[in-house]
Amino acid sequence: MNLTCEELYRILSEGEDYKNQFKLNFESIDKLSREIVAFLNADGGIIYIGITNAGEIEGLTQEQIDKLNQWISNASKNNIYPSVALKTQTLNCEGKNILIIYVPRGENKPYAVKNKEVWIKSGSDKRLATVEDIARLLQESGRLRAEENKTRVKIDEDTFDKNYFSLWYSNYYFSEFDFKNEDIIKLFNNWKLAKGEFFTLAGLLLFGKSPEQTYPQFIVKAVYWQDIDNFIDKDEISGSLITQFKKSMDFFSRNLKRIQRDNVNAPSIWEIPQETLKEAISNAIIHRDYFIQSPIYIEIWKDRVEIKSPGKLPNTLTIESIKAGIHNERNPIILSFLEKDKDFRYSGMGKGIPRILKICKENNINVEFINDEYSLQFTVKFERKKI
């Protein structure tokens, strides 16, 4: 990719953003490295050197360009860890030279300056990463998963939902689990639902009695708004993940309208097809980012329904790719158990989003997917029609 002056003018007119950074020059190789690392830890971007913060072209001398190119080469090999290959371009516009650095999306996150400073993007600026940020970056690279973290909850009769586990086990394996002769702790360790005698996060959320007592943020908050200041119905949905799924669907059931079909003898249907809401809420529960300490939000308004899940799309996924059926499993352990529950009805294999699109198109309902990289939130928005 090489920019033209016309393309540069358009970018300058739009100003700095999450993907484009303007710099007059750099005072040191460390400051240059920080900007590069912040883009590597995001989704990549472009650094334009020789331009003011206001987007005015000041230009660089050939001596400055030579020095910067040397810094870029040294930084990519020796100052940034893991090392990275960078592409640069010198562009002359209005008789002034600027240097452009194309920073790819990092595949081995987190990246650090001198193996100790982890910088991340914050809007058009950057900041040092927190411990939570670093955990999220490790998760994106597949080197760490929140669901495998050991909790402080010991598996015993007070914390383990034996009844639900027995039902789940018998429905999937067509046999009863023998608690007298089988070691549930050993089994859970093999399944990555436990570490020693303690639940992992996946184990607690799937088969714990009251996971919200330890993780009060991993719930669903549902509100039916009358207006911005008043609500018609409200619920804080806690419990295991399957309980959250069922109660979320109950919230939709009691608050969404029914449409009577032309055949008066046929049962009424939901104003927003039930199957699309099942897909959307199951996606939120399975694919949410459990490193983010925030609940899932369901909001019903007069003109729309929104399901908001913590975390942007993982890894290289985009809105376009998920519409095409491409998927990436952020929480494969949770997914592997919930998809075996006959009540969960999760289609999996990347078919959920295309299925939502298909059903909404058949029912003439507008649906929108929003991947907010700045707020780290993924939203599914369904249009409500006047009935």
Side-chain angles (χ1 to χ4, degrees):
M1 173 185 179
N2 281 321
L3 284 177
T4 65
C5 290
E6 288 73 21
E7 290 169 329
L8 175 65
Y9 296 148
R10 177 185 57 79
I11 292 167
L12 296 181
S13 67
E14 294 173 353
E16 289 184 313
D17 57 22
Y18 190 73
K19 286 280 191 178
N20 298 283
Q21 190 79 42
F22 307 153
K23 291 292 179 182
L24 189 57
N25 206 339
F26 285 97
E27 301 171 1
S28 69
I29 189 172
D30 285 349
K31 289 186 177 181
L32 172 63
S33 299
R34 290 166 189 163
E35 295 294 338
I36 295 171
V37 160
F39 274 126
L40 286 168
N41 284 328
D43 290 316
I46 305 176
I47 303 171
Y48 307 82
I49 312 175
I51 296 175
T52 68
N53 289 336
E56 298 174 351
I57 300 176
E58 290 288 333
L60 298 167
T61 65
Q62 189 58 50
E63 182 181 0
Q64 289 173 321
I65 290 174
D66 292 342
K67 184 177 182 180
L68 285 166
N69 274 320
Q70 185 178 16
W71 278 359
I72 293 165
S73 178
N74 290 337
S76 63
K77 295 175 183 177
N78 306 314
N79 220 38
I80 296 172
Y81 181 82
S83 60
V84 63
L86 298 169
K87 179 186 174 183
T88 62
Q89 175 191 358
T90 300
L91 181 63
N92 185 286
C93 298
E94 303 173 6
K96 299 176 182 178
N97 287 322
I98 66 167
L99 184 63
I100 303 173
I101 308 174
Y102 298 95
V103 184
R105 183 185 188 281
E107 299 300 328
N108 297 299
K109 301 173 183 177
Y111 290 82
V113 178
K114 294 182 177 178
N115 206 14
K116 62 180 181 180
E117 293 180 14
V118 178
W119 292 85
I120 62 172
K121 294 295 292 181
S122 178
S124 60
D125 205 348
K126 66 183 181 303
R127 62 175 173 82
L128 279 169
T130 64
V131 172
E132 186 181 76
D133 293 325
I134 293 172
R136 189 180 307 115
L137 292 171
L138 286 166
Q139 177 181 245
E140 283 189 38
S141 64
R143 295 155 66 187
L144 179 67
R145 298 189 187 279
E147 62 175 358
E148 296 184 31
N149 287 348
K150 179 181 176 181
T151 71
R152 62 177 183 270
V153 181
K154 193 172 182 179
I155 303 172
D156 56 34
E157 62 181 12
D158 293 326
T159 61
F160 174 44
D161 192 341
K162 184 177 179 180
N163 291 333
Y164 172 61
F165 175 78
S166 298
L167 178 64
W168 176 90
Y169 190 93
S170 61
N171 284 338
Y172 184 70
Y173 290 104
F174 301 103
S175 64
E176 301 295 326
F177 184 80
D178 187 354
F179 285 98
K180 290 183 178 180
N181 298 307
E182 297 286 342
D183 187 342
I184 190 67
I185 301 294
K186 182 178 180 180
L187 179 65
F188 271 26
N189 273 268
N190 290 339
W191 284 351
K192 295 187 178 181
L193 300 179
K195 288 185 177 180
E197 297 182 337
F198 294 85
F199 280 115
T200 60
L201 180 62
L204 181 63
L205 293 174
L206 288 165
F207 298 113
K209 281 186 177 179
S210 302
E212 70 278 1
Q213 292 183 2
T214 308
Y215 297 99
Q217 64 275 27
F218 297 154
I219 62 172
V220 178
K221 290 190 175 183
V223 183
Y224 184 4
W225 294 102
Q226 180 174 353
D227 52 48
I228 199 167
D229 297 315
N230 302 289
F231 64 88
I232 297 171
D233 191 8
K234 185 178 183 181
D235 197 0
E236 286 202 356
I237 302 169
S238 57
S240 67
L241 295 183
I242 191 63
T243 299
Q244 292 183 32
F245 172 75
K246 290 178 178 179
K247 289 187 176 180
S248 294
M249 293 307 299
D250 289 342
F251 185 81
F252 288 129
S253 179
R254 69 176 182 260
N255 285 302
L256 293 181
K257 299 174 183 177
R258 300 294 194 274
I259 303 173
Q260 185 61 50
R261 304 183 191 188
D262 294 337
N263 183 352
V264 294
N265 294 320
S268 61
I269 59 174
W270 292 21
E271 58 174 294
I272 298 173
Q274 187 176 4
E275 288 302 311
T276 65
L277 294 169
K278 282 185 177 180
E279 290 285 358
I281 194 63
S282 63
N283 272 325
I285 289 171
I286 287 176
H287 297 303
R288 66 152 290 167
D289 188 337
Y290 284 100
F291 278 120
I292 298 178
Q293 310 296 307
S294 177
I296 293 168
Y297 288 96
I298 293 173
E299 293 187 311
I300 299 178
W301 299 83
K302 290 180 179 179
D303 62 342
R304 67 192 186 277
V305 171
E306 296 182 357
I307 299 172
K308 301 177 180 178
S309 177
K312 64 177 183 177
L313 289 174
N315 300 324
T316 57
L317 291 184
T318 63
I319 297 296
E320 290 71 27
S321 65
I322 63 172
K323 286 181 177 180
I326 306 300
H327 74 294
N328 193 299
E329 297 170 4
R330 178 181 270 139
N331 304 298
I333 299 171
I334 289 174
L335 168 60
S336 68
F337 284 90
L338 278 180
E339 69 180 355
K340 294 179 176 69
D341 189 303
K342 65 181 181 63
D343 293 326
F344 196 65
R345 303 283 301 281
Y346 181 73
S347 62
M349 299 299 291
K351 296 178 182 178
I353 300 300
R355 180 172 169 79
I356 289 173
L357 289 168
K358 179 177 181 293
I359 296 174
C360 285
K361 184 178 181 180
E362 291 171 349
N363 289 271
N364 197 28
I365 292 172
N366 292 326
V367 60
E368 182 180 0
F369 305 98
I370 304 167
N371 185 37
D372 191 333
E373 297 182 347
Y374 182 70
S375 299
L376 299 177
Q377 183 172 260
F378 182 77
T379 301
V380 183
K381 183 189 295 186
F382 296 95
E383 174 191 27
R384 292 186 74 191
K385 295 192 173 184
K386 295 180 180 179
I387 301 174

